[in-house]
């Protein structure tokens, strides 16, 4: 008896355990007899399909673990005004359903089946930043494996909100986030995980992205903060997607033409001041630049102040300034050749200093500055300076001017010379301003 008791206890225990296992097996093991001849028997899965309204658990305290990964298959566009990123994602979800379970050996070696996803419980994973209704196509299927693992992939067009910074446009990079979270389940009901490393996601996305469009994928990072709303804690996974704009379109269409126009504007200072062409030429350039800006307006981001707008404004103001300078010099020449006012002594000596030494205001590129080194003691005779302005001086105009001791012709000559020196000086200033401001913009762009 003493020896029999433990034996009987063991038999009882075995019986209980086997009964329990049997019961569990009856309830959750799928009977797949006949799958080899008649295909899958819907009745075998009916028990699973009937439970699709409820989260599949055998112990309520154990949260369902959903593994998430995704592939970024296209970057469709970035809307700077609405701050939206439109992209296309293939989302992979993997979780376990304890009610699905069969023995592949009994089932002619089948260990994987596809099932219409709408017959199964699906986790309510959504992207927090998404600003669009879920446009998942209907009729998707999922893989179920003999151990109850469900793999559900869905394609999804995601319009997500993204904090865009277009200051460096068109050399900008953006850092957008995709935060995957459950809509309803707190950490007690659902935990999120990943079964792929982030670098794998990045690599697959790089290989899959076919579009040679405006945006290029730089990298993907991950963080797993928990989000608490009120007393509830939600599990979530955040992916940081860094993208960079390909600037060549903008360089060719915006920066190069604009630079050409400014360069031509600068070169137009080499047109002789006396020819009447300079001002019309500059006005034409200015007009052309405005037309260019109007046409290219569509290429610029619709909101914010990118550096490139500052650059355009700068180019425009350079052109306006250069036109104003031409107007000023033309006026000066006009006054000089028609009614030259007496030249103050200090101005005259300054002019002498400049043209004489040739250092502070080196010779202008045009012919006007040839008459150098004038002194009151050996002023050249009347040299037809009026011809420069396209007009002959009358005989009476060569008479002596006030007390200065210069003939009017000499005075005209001096003022014309002064205009040329002034022109050269302003041109240098213009070049200096242009160089420094464009350098500043370039330096800003490179930081
Ligand atoms: C499986 O189902 C078939 C009929 O569909 C039945 O004959 C068989 O006994 C079942 N097997 C088990 C283990 O329940
Ligand atoms: C359910 O899971 C919790 C936590 O893992 C455990 O403490 C509890 O005993 C389990 N209940 C059952 C009935 O297995
Ligand atoms: C999720 O991934 C982890 C490891 O990354 C793995 O241990 C776990 O089994 C996976 N769970 C599911 C449901 O795929
Ligand atoms: C994107 O921003 C997040 C946080 O703001 C940062 O952790 C991450 O490193 C950034 N990613 C890149 C590629 O700059």
């Amino acid at each position: 008896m003493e020896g029999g008791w433990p034996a009987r206890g063991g038999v009882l225990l075995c019986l209980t355990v086997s009964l329990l296992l049997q019961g569990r097996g009856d309830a959750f093991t799928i009977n797949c007899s006949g799958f080899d001849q008649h295909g899958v028997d819907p009745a075998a899965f009916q028990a699973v399909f009937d439970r699709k309204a409820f989260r599949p658990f055998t112990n309520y305290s154990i949260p369902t673990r959903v593994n998430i990964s995704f592939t970024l298959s296209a970057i469709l566009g970035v809307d700077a005004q609405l701050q939206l990123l439109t992209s296309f994602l293939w989302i992979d979800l993997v979780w376990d359903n304890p009610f699905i379970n069969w023995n592949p050996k009994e089932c002619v070696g089948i260990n994987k089946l596809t099932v219409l996803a709408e017959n199964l419980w699906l986790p309510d994973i959504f992207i927090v930043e998404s600003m669009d209704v879920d446009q998942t196509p209907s009729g998707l299927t999922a893989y179920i494996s003999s151990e109850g693992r469900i793999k559900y992939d869905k394609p999804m067009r995601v319009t997500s909100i993204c904090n865009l910074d277009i200051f460096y446009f068109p050399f900008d990079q953006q850092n957008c986030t995709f935060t995957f979270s459950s809509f309803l389940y707190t950490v007690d009901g659902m935990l999120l995980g990943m079964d792929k490393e982030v670098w794998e996601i990045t690599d697959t996305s790089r290989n899959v992205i076919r579009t040679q469009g405006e945006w290029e994928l730089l990298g993907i990072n991950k963080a797993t903060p928990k989000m608490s709303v009120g007393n509830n804690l939600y599990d979530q996974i955040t992916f940081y997607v860094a993208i960079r704009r390909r600037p060549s379109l903008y360089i060719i269409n915006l920066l190069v033409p604009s630079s050409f126009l400014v360069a031509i504007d600068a070169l137009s200072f080499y047109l002789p001041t006396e020819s009447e062409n300079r001002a019309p030429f500059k006005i034409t350039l200015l007009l052309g630049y405005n037309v260019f800006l109007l046409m290219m307006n569509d290429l610029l981001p619709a909101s914010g102040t990118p550096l490139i707008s500052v650059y355009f404004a700068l180019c425009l103001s350079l052109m306006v300034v250069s036109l104003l300078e031409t107007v000023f010099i033309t006026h000066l020449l006009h006054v000089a050749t028609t009614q030259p006012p007496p030249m103050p002594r200090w101005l005259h000596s300054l002019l002498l200093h400049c043209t004489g030494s040739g250092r502070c205001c080196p010779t202008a590129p045009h012919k006007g500055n040839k008459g150098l080194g004038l002194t009151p003691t050996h002023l050249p005779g009347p040299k037809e300076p009026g011809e420069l302005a396209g007009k002959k001086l009358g005989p009476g105009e060569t008479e002596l001017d006030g007390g200065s001791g210069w003939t009017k012709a000499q005075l005209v000559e001096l003022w014309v010379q002064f205009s040329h020196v002034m022109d050269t000086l302003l041109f240098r200033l213009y070049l200096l301003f242009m160089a420094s401001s464009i350098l500043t913009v370039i330096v800003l762009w490179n930081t």
Side-chain angles (χ1 to χ4, degrees):
M1 285 302 271
E2 279 170 355
W5 166 238
R8 216 180 320 157
V11 168
L12 265 176
L13 197 71
C14 278
L15 200 68
T16 328
V17 166
S18 68
L19 267 176
L20 272 176
L21 281 179
Q22 189 67 38
R24 189 187 147 88
D26 277 343
F28 304 133
T29 304
I30 286 158
N31 177 356
C32 51
S33 71
F35 280 17
D36 50 344
Q37 287 148 31
H38 313 295
V40 176
D41 180 11
F45 283 94
Q46 203 52 51
V48 175
F49 295 167
D50 287 346
R51 292 169 189 258
K52 70 172 180 183
F54 306 97
R55 177 168 77 89
F57 61 85
T58 46
N59 178 347
Y60 185 73
S61 330
I62 299 177
T64 304
R65 185 182 170 93
V66 180
N67 280 357
I68 297 177
S69 80
F70 72 95
T71 305
L72 184 67
S73 67
I75 301 164
L76 298 175
V78 167
D79 187 333
Q81 191 172 17
L82 299 177
Q83 302 267 297
L84 292 177
L85 166 76
T86 310
S87 52
F88 206 80
L89 303 185
W90 300 338
I91 297 176
D92 303 354
L93 303 174
V94 180
W95 69 96
D96 285 330
N97 184 333
F99 302 127
I100 300 177
N101 172 29
W102 71 82
N103 186 350
K105 283 193 202 116
E106 285 172 12
C107 303
V108 289
I110 300 172
N111 51 21
K112 222 158 79 160
L113 282 173
T114 53
V115 172
L116 211 55
E118 63 204 36
N119 290 315
L120 298 169
W121 175 85
L122 302 174
D124 58 345
I125 303 294
F126 79 116
I127 296 178
V128 176
E129 288 83 12
S130 180
M131 288 294 126
D132 215 347
V133 287
D134 189 356
Q135 292 172 345
T136 309
S138 59
L140 292 173
T141 50
Y143 263 118
I144 56 179
S145 78
S146 54
E147 299 99 50
R149 184 147 291 188
I150 301 182
K151 184 167 158 42
Y152 175 55
D153 293 2
K154 58 177 178 177
M156 207 169 154
R157 184 193 164 102
V158 182
T159 304
S160 59
I161 201 137
C162 178
N163 190 6
L164 299 167
D165 177 10
I166 42 102
F167 182 69
Y168 292 109
F169 173 91
F171 304 102
D172 52 339
Q173 286 182 12
Q174 308 294 348
N175 187 355
C176 294
T177 49
F178 291 128
T179 305
F180 291 83
S181 179
S182 166
F183 203 74
L184 182 76
Y185 294 102
T186 58
V187 283
D188 305 328
M190 193 181 287
L191 287 179
L192 304 181
M194 290 179 58
D195 47 11
K196 264 201 220 172
E197 295 297 320
V198 199
W199 61 264
E200 285 179 83
I201 295 180
T202 315
D203 277 6
T204 345
S205 300
R206 280 224 186 90
N207 292 338
V208 161
I209 290 182
R210 291 265 170 267
T211 48
Q212 288 297 310
E214 194 179 341
W215 294 91
E216 177 188 4
L217 179 67
L218 280 185
I220 299 176
N221 273 337
K222 177 195 89 160
T224 47
K226 300 247 190 301
M227 176 174 64
S228 80
V229 177
N231 295 329
N232 301 324
L233 201 60
Y234 295 88
D235 200 9
Q236 57 181 24
I237 299 185
T238 303
F239 294 95
Y240 298 104
V241 178
I243 53 176
R244 181 173 57 201
R245 200 190 292 269
R246 292 195 175 94
S248 49
L249 169 81
Y250 300 97
I251 292 179
I252 292 171
N253 283 325
L254 295 176
L255 293 183
V256 170
S258 176
S259 312
F260 276 157
L261 284 173
V262 171
I264 294 174
D265 186 58
L267 287 177
S268 71
F269 276 94
Y270 284 86
L271 287 177
T273 346
E274 293 81 7
S275 89
E276 313 256 295
N277 291 335
R278 213 206 247 190
F281 185 78
K282 291 197 172 186
I283 290 171
T284 316
L285 271 185
L286 198 60
L287 211 63
Y289 196 67
N290 275 313
V291 172
F292 161 78
L293 283 187
L294 275 181
M295 276 170 51
M296 293 304 159
N297 206 17
D298 291 347
L299 283 181
L300 290 178
S303 69
T305 313
L307 203 53
I308 197 168
S309 302
V310 178
Y311 169 76
F312 285 153
L314 197 76
C315 290
L316 195 70
S317 38
L318 278 174
M319 290 183 161
V320 169
V321 164
S322 107
L323 182 64
L324 284 180
E325 192 267 357
T326 304
V327 168
F328 172 66
I329 295 295
T330 312
H331 173 73
L332 205 63
L333 271 177
H334 175 75
V335 168
T337 48
T338 50
Q339 290 159 335
M343 182 169 272
R345 288 251 155 228
W346 61 268
L347 192 58
H348 181 244
S349 37
L350 195 68
L351 188 64
L352 273 185
H353 177 70
C354 285
T355 52
S357 67
R359 215 184 300 132
C360 92
C361 317
T363 51
H366 39 70
K367 55 170 181 154
N369 273 23
K370 274 179 192 157
L372 306 175
L374 295 179
T375 58
T377 48
H378 58 275
L379 267 175
K383 279 197 344 189
E384 317 108 17
E387 225 175 48
L388 295 172
K391 149 180 175 249
K392 282 278 178 198
L393 288 177
E397 285 175 315
T398 52
E399 79 217 5
L400 282 178
D401 192 290
S404 63
W406 292 323
T407 62
K408 184 166 181 188
Q410 285 168 337
L411 205 54
V412 165
E413 169 80 3
L414 276 178
W415 275 110
V416 167
Q417 207 180 356
F418 172 73
S419 312
H420 289 151
V421 170
M422 205 62 196
D423 189 34
T424 316
L425 184 71
L426 289 175
F427 177 51
R428 307 264 148 152
L429 278 179
Y430 172 87
L431 281 187
L432 196 71
F433 178 63
M434 180 163 98
S436 56
S437 47
I438 286 177
L439 269 182
T440 313
V441 168
I442 287 174
V443 164
L444 275 178
W445 250 323
N446 279 333
T447 49

